[in-house]
Amino acid sequence: MFALIIVILCFSSLKGGRRDEHALVVLDNDQEKVSYPVLYWENSIGRSRSSDIVINDPEVSRDHAVLLRRKDGWFITDTGSKTGVFVNGEQTEGRCPLAVGDIITIGDTKLVLRRSIPTQNNAKSVKEYKRVPGAVILGLITLYILMLLFQAIINMGSFFALIPAMGFVAAMFIFYAVSYNVFKRRDFELESLALLLSGTGIMLAASHNTDTRQAYVQLAAVILGMIIYSFMIWFIEVPDRVMKWHLIISVGAILLLGSTLVLGTVQHGAKNWIILGPISIQPSEFAKIAYIFVGASTLDVLQTKKSLTEFIIVSAISVGLLVLMSDFGTAVIFFVTFLMIAFMRSGDIKTVALAITAAVLGVVIMLTVKPYIADRFAVWGHVWENADGTGFQQVNALMDTASGGLFGVGISKGYLQHIFASENDLVFCMMSEEIGLIIALTVAVVIGGLMLYARGVTTRSRSTFYSIAACSAAGLLVFQSALNIFGVTDILPLTGVTLPFVSYGGSSMAACWGLLAFIKAADERTYVHRHKKTKKQKQVKIDEEGDTVLVQ
């Protein structure tokens, strides 16, 4: 019940507080008496119908220019047009700063940059919504953890789960205090949802005596994930900073995967772990974060062929390296993420269809050259026929899921914990057996809800970088969850991928928090409180100097 209340409160609070969409500035065509409202921080200008600002002029290219807003004001960039872009009669090179009253010439069309007319909607503040205080939600999560802890102590007859549980609660409140007081973030719903899932995973690990180290590994991974999350929120605050590091991040993604191929250790048929003494790392999990950095771009960079070529090359190398490692589950996740990003970048279904065709051809060739790979998926759809062999895990998982019912048999009392990989590949079924199907489905709903939330906030994101990054990160988490849940229930082949935020695995847990940062950064409210004072100071400067400074 507490879990459902937490999820409802968080998503209700996330839904509120959206600012009405209004023009930031306008572009006036005085000759034809036409005004083009500028609604976004990045706006494509061209003859194409898919452009944000459509100019019906034969001299204008399909993708002619990009008008974008940054901390220092408004800029316009020529994105490889045939006739160029001129500001006050001078041809632009790279990003050209704009001021109110500047005349932008695109083809034979002249546009004047002007302030938007203030309206009642324009004055509406992003603060005006009913937000559930983060401390209240954390209090409910604490009660949820304490209930699981009490149940674990009774069922186990020991206090082993006490330290990991209390350590998680302490880390949770410290994280909230730092977010609120240091980073000045007032919205804590996304973090609360991630903490709910992470806490569930820690309690599942802490309530089993099979490996006492697991609970502490999960706790350390959550703390590391919080640090990565906070760093990434800061790093991607400025899209142009990300673009400067774009090439280095691209190389880093390939090196992460390449290092695994060279230094990795084969475990359970896949060479995807690097073991350094007592520490084991799965670099492909962190490569997911780097890969989204590579795929997402600001609009002026997005419309260049060089950027698209770079993304395709990195994608092909990444998937190829994962196939060589025999990590087919992660390879599929990378490929589906590529399809999502490719569609968002191009908007062309033909590009996606071509990529899928090439992938199918590659799979056929791979199965022809290495037919033993098909044997790994032969049990799909036939687990009950192979209950004592290759289908043993899934058959037990399905039976134990059914035995748990809606409310579970009690944490630590399940039989599935004695089956290999119950804490990672089969964790959804272990949740269903011990805590109940209601909690397991709630976890699935939370992850699915991240995709709907990401889709909603990206319509007003400050950059296409945020839009693409948030949707692809959420899509990656949803698809990975689908592979885990549907794989263990024999709807899809069992690929051995983790359930985000819940499955045992330090690399997976930390990487999931990193992916969550992309979704958080897409919301315009993430940075509004931090820069409240700066914006006031900048506005005073504009009021004093009038239209001679850049528009804010």
Side-chain angles (χ1 to χ4, degrees), residues 224-225 228-229 231-233 235-236 242 246 249-250 252-253 256-257 282-296 330 333-334 337 341 465 469 472-473 476-477 480 506-518:
L224 175 61
I228 293 174
Y229 175 86
F231 171 78
M232 284 186 57
I233 292 291
F235 181 70
I236 60 183
V242 179
H246 213 244
I249 295 172
S250 302
L256 277 173
L257 297 174
Q282 192 172 0
S284 60
E285 293 293 336
F286 299 102
K288 293 174 184 176
I289 300 174
Y291 183 67
I292 291 179
F293 270 118
V294 176
T330 306
I333 291 172
F334 266 68
T337 305
I341 294 176
F465 170 81
S472 56
L476 187 156
L477 291 171
Q480 181 171 321
S507 299
S508 175
M509 178 67 78
C512 286
W513 277 92
L515 292 171
L516 187 71
F518 289 120

Side-chain angles (χ1 to χ4, degrees), residues 83-254:
T83 58
V85 175
F86 296 80
V87 175
N88 298 328
E90 296 185 6
Q91 187 167 5
T92 64
E93 292 184 4
R95 285 187 183 176
C96 178
L98 297 173
V100 169
D102 280 351
I103 301 174
I104 305 167
T105 304
I106 297 176
D108 292 331
T109 302
K110 295 183 183 297
L111 303 171
V112 182
L113 181 70
R114 294 197 172 104
R115 299 182 187 274
S116 62
I117 300 174
T119 64
Q120 184 176 0
N121 284 342
N122 286 24
K124 197 169 188 178
S125 171
V126 295
K127 292 173 55 181
E128 296 175 1
Y129 70 101
K130 293 182 179 180
R131 175 177 50 83
V132 180
V136 172
I137 298 177
L138 291 188
L140 292 174
I141 296 176
T142 301
L143 290 176
Y144 169 74
I145 296 296
L146 290 177
M147 291 177 65
L148 294 180
L149 174 62
F150 178 76
Q151 194 178 91
I153 291 174
I154 296 298
N155 293 337
M156 295 172 64
S158 72
F159 289 88
F160 169 72
L162 179 64
I163 297 177
M166 292 298 97
F168 173 75
V169 171
M172 184 172 65
F173 277 97
I174 292 172
F175 179 46
Y176 174 68
V178 172
S179 297
Y180 191 91
N181 296 305
V182 178
F183 298 111
K184 308 301 181 184
R185 291 197 288 268
R186 299 297 181 261
D187 304 291
F188 205 71
E189 299 90 348
L190 272 182
E191 295 90 336
S192 297
L193 291 170
L195 288 168
L196 175 66
L197 303 190
S198 301
T200 302
I202 286 177
M203 291 309 300
L204 285 171
S207 61
H208 299 141
N209 287 315
T210 54
D211 186 354
T212 57
R213 187 177 66 95
Q214 289 186 1
Y216 296 99
V217 169
Q218 286 296 86
L219 178 59
V222 170
I223 295 173
L224 175 61
M226 294 174 180
I227 295 172
I228 293 174
Y229 175 86
S230 300
F231 171 78
M232 284 186 57
I233 292 291
W234 167 81
F235 181 70
I236 60 183
E237 178 182 357
V238 182
D240 291 340
R241 177 165 55 204
V242 179
M243 291 303 103
K244 290 179 181 179
W245 286 80
H246 213 244
L247 180 60
I248 295 175
I249 295 172
S250 302
V251 175
I254 295 174

Side-chain angles (χ1 to χ4, degrees), residues 264-519:
T265 300
V266 177
Q267 290 189 353
H268 316 306
K271 192 177 184 180
N272 55 358
W273 289 92
I274 293 179
I275 300 177
L276 304 172
I279 300 175
S280 58
I281 304 172
Q282 192 172 0
S284 60
E285 293 293 336
F286 299 102
K288 293 174 184 176
I289 300 174
Y291 183 67
I292 291 179
F293 270 118
V294 176
S297 298
T298 56
L299 190 60
D300 54 340
V301 175
L302 189 68
Q303 292 188 354
T304 63
K305 294 181 179 179
K306 179 181 177 182
S307 174
L308 181 60
T309 302
E310 174 193 322
F311 175 57
I312 293 174
I313 291 173
V314 173
S315 300
I317 295 174
S318 299
V319 174
L321 289 172
L322 288 166
V323 170
L324 290 176
M325 298 175 207
S326 296
D327 191 355
F328 300 109
T330 306
V332 172
I333 291 172
F334 266 68
F335 178 69
V336 171
T337 305
F338 165 78
L339 295 181
M340 289 188 290
I341 294 176
F343 180 73
M344 286 186 287
R345 289 177 67 118
S346 65
D348 186 5
I349 197 67
K350 295 179 181 178
T351 303
V352 176
L354 180 62
I356 293 175
T357 302
V360 171
L361 179 61
V363 170
V364 171
I365 294 173
M366 182 176 63
L367 293 178
T368 302
V369 176
K370 298 182 177 180
Y372 68 87
I373 293 176
D375 296 337
R376 296 181 58 180
F377 304 102
V379 72
W380 176 35
H382 305 282
V383 295
W384 293 99
E385 301 169 18
N386 301 273
D388 295 327
T390 51
F392 179 77
Q393 283 178 291
Q394 288 159 287
V395 166
N396 278 273
L398 290 171
M399 290 191 300
D400 293 335
T401 298
S403 68
L406 293 178
F407 304 103
V409 298
I411 195 165
S412 84
K413 293 185 67 175
Y415 291 99
L416 191 59
Q417 63 173 295
H418 304 295
I419 304 299
F420 174 72
S422 61
E423 72 282 0
N424 39 53
D425 297 355
L426 312 180
V427 73
F428 178 80
C429 293
M430 187 167 72
M431 259 196 307
S432 300
E433 180 190 16
E434 298 191 2
I435 311 178
L437 185 61
I438 292 178
I439 295 295
L441 292 179
T442 299
V443 169
V445 167
V446 169
I447 297 174
L450 292 179
M451 185 67 202
L452 297 177
Y453 172 71
R455 176 63 185 86
V457 299
T458 53
T459 57
R460 295 177 179 87
S461 291
R462 297 180 296 136
S463 170
T464 53
F465 170 81
Y466 297 115
S467 300
I468 295 175
C471 285
S472 56
L476 187 156
L477 291 171
V478 169
F479 181 71
Q480 181 171 321
S481 300
L483 286 181
N484 179 280
I485 296 170
F486 295 146
V488 74
T489 53
D490 202 33
I491 298 174
L492 293 175
L494 184 62
T495 53
V497 299
T498 57
L499 182 62
F501 294 106
V502 180
S503 289
Y504 171 69
S507 299
S508 175
M509 178 67 78
C512 286
W513 277 92
L515 292 171
L516 187 71
F518 289 120
I519 305 174

Side-chain angles (χ1 to χ4, degrees), residues 10 106 378 537:
C10 287
I106 297 176
Q537 293 172 348

